[in-house]
Amino acid sequence: MTTEAQWEEAYSGSFQQPLLVFKHSTSCSISSGAYDELANWLEDATTLSLRPVMVLVPDNRPLSTLISEKLSLKHESPQLILVIDGKVSWHASHWRITYSTLDEHLGTHCEK
């Protein structure tokens, strides 16, 4: 996701389908680890009932800031945010983004 219009469309969609926003920094090893954990979890999920989107923070800092402001969350990177009906249902950052944490918190939105 790279534009405010894409964000607004994804955010509006959270009223029909949960939205999973991943804020990723390609220059950070912690973020790379979180990306791998998320990618592995998504790969193992056979049926998602949520929409995953990614924001590359170094390339899209204004968009990342806009998302944080809209959701009333402190900006972090890496950061994973579950948005349901326009509200933050769950979020995690840094080393708390793991396969097991994703499975624990998002398993109800994903059938394996």
Side-chain angles (χ1 to χ4, degrees), residues 7-8 13 15-16 19-20 22 25 27 29 34-35 46 54-55 60-64 82 85 96 101 103 105 112:
W7 160 247
E8 290 300 333
F15 290 88
Q16 287 78 45
L19 175 66
L20 186 63
F22 180 58
S25 174
S27 62
S29 62
Y35 175 85
T46 56
M54 181 168 52
V55 176
N60 299 289
R61 182 59 191 232
L63 179 60
S64 178
L82 179 64
D85 294 331
R96 293 183 304 273
T101 300
D103 222 28
H105 292 279
K112 298 244 174 174

Side-chain angles (χ1 to χ4, degrees), residues 14 18 35 45 71-72 74 81 89-90 95:
S14 77
Y35 175 85
L71 299 176
S72 299
K74 176 185 167 200
I81 309 164
S89 173
W90 174 78
W95 295 113

Side-chain angles (χ1 to χ4, degrees), residues 84-110:
I84 300 175
D85 294 331
K87 294 184 174 38
V88 175
S89 173
W90 174 78
H91 67 95
S93 66
H94 296 85
W95 295 113
R96 293 183 304 273
I97 301 172
T98 65
Y99 189 103
S100 61
T101 300
L102 289 164
D103 222 28
E104 177 184 340
H105 292 279
L106 304 180
T108 58
H109 300 287
C110 171

Side-chain angles (χ1 to χ4, degrees), residues 1-4 6 22-28 31 54-67 75 77:
M1 185 167 33
T2 59
T3 68
E4 184 175 344
Q6 289 171 328
F22 180 58
K23 292 175 158 190
H24 178 44
S25 174
T26 54
S27 62
C28 171
S31 194
M54 181 168 52
V55 176
L56 297 176
V57 176
D59 300 334
N60 299 289
R61 182 59 191 232
L63 179 60
S64 178
T65 300
L66 175 74
I67 292 168
H75 164 76
S77 177

